[in-house]
Amino acid sequence: MHVLILGGTTEGRRLAELLADAPGVRVTSSLAGRVAAPRLPPGEVRVGGFGGAAGLAAWLRQHHVDALIDATHPFAGTISFNAAKAAAGAHVPLLALRRPGWVASEGDDWHPVGSLEEAARVLPGLGRRVFLTTGRMGLAAFAGPELGTHWFLVRSVDAPEPPFPARMEVLLDRGPFTLDGEREILRAHRVDVVVTKDSGGSATAPKLAAAREAGLPVVVVRRPAGPDGVTGVATPEEAVAWVRALGG
């Protein structure tokens, strides 16, 4: 049974590890190639795009894929819609593996927004020293002159490319992060507002606890809607059970 995982996430790697040990299963993980040195999962790995939904459907047929699992980042919206179209066109069962989003706790000062652009618009009323943890993509939203007096600490795995904020320091790092480490970042850089995407999971959640302790506002970009009608699970273990059920 050939399973293609659209991965690049912690859950995608964990799923590949579980399926690599499963008898009668061949697993291929597909990575987008946006990170220079990704953590490679076990099994076969391919890097790069497919050329849209039609290209992915052709790949599914050519490589005799029996099951497709979309374990991409919650904000990698385009590939999820392409996966739904490709799976329907190639008549391949599709599962979405999505970690649950974060839930605000007592004491949190969250400001939900619908996009990075909206996050940039609300910043002037919240603070001027920004811990920006949305990754290296989309920094152009914060590069406008209206935020010219703001200072940004940008954390990403790889160095960002312009356009980006005029006053910026880059912190190259990869999760999981610790609560003590996040506390120190907020203290050392005199951060007064945090901006994040609702990625979910535990690897990057400590910043939320650190911000809560420090009484800082957090701008949280809501997840985009995914394709309709796709079966979803929250854990790699549930995805393995789905694969086993397909295999009879």
Side-chain angles (χ1 to χ4, degrees):
M1 184 178 185
H2 188 189
V3 179
L4 174 63
I5 301 172
L6 305 177
T9 58
T10 301
E11 292 77 17
R13 286 190 297 274
R14 178 57 181 156
L15 177 57
E17 291 170 358
L18 294 173
L19 291 179
D21 295 331
V25 176
R26 170 192 172 196
V27 59
T28 300
S29 295
S30 176
L31 309 181
R34 291 183 175 177
V35 176
R39 293 173 177 168
L40 297 180
E44 302 173 39
V45 177
R46 70 174 302 279
V47 178
F50 292 93
L56 176 54
W59 201 96
L60 296 176
R61 298 187 191 97
Q62 180 181 355
H63 295 269
H64 306 289
V65 172
D66 300 294
L68 176 61
I69 300 178
D70 175 13
T72 55
H73 193 276
F75 283 80
T78 299
I79 184 61
S80 295
F81 283 93
N82 286 344
K85 293 178 182 177
H91 304 290
V92 172
L94 170 65
L95 179 74
L97 171 55
R98 289 284 182 270
R99 69 186 79 148
W102 291 316
V103 178
S105 300
E106 183 177 355
D108 281 323
D109 181 15
W110 285 12
H111 300 260
V113 296
S115 66
L116 292 176
E117 290 75 17
E118 187 179 350
R121 288 195 294 271
V122 304
L123 272 181
L126 297 175
R128 292 196 174 275
R129 295 187 64 84
V130 186
F131 186 23
L132 187 56
T133 66
T134 56
R136 67 185 180 92
M137 310 296 288
L139 295 185
F142 303 92
E146 63 277 6
L147 295 177
T149 60
H150 282 63
W151 177 87
F152 292 84
L153 177 64
V154 175
R155 182 164 66 191
S156 62
V157 176
D158 294 322
E161 298 178 356
F164 42 58
R167 302 177 65 219
M168 179 185 73
E169 181 177 332
V170 177
L171 177 60
L172 297 181
D173 203 355
R174 186 198 306 256
F177 303 106
T178 66
L179 179 55
D180 284 342
E182 302 294 65
R183 287 171 176 153
E184 178 59 19
I185 285 175
L186 299 183
R187 184 200 65 79
H189 296 279
R190 295 180 289 116
V191 169
D192 58 15
V193 60
V194 177
V195 179
T196 185
K197 293 177 177 178
D198 181 16
S199 300
S202 61
T204 61
K207 64 189 170 192
L208 302 174
R212 183 188 316 123
E213 291 178 357
L216 300 183
V218 181
V219 181
V220 182
V221 182
R222 292 186 294 264
R223 296 181 177 189
D228 294 330
V230 177
T231 300
V233 296
T235 68
E237 290 74 16
E238 290 175 291
V240 171
W242 179 83
V243 170
R244 287 175 176 163
L246 285 181

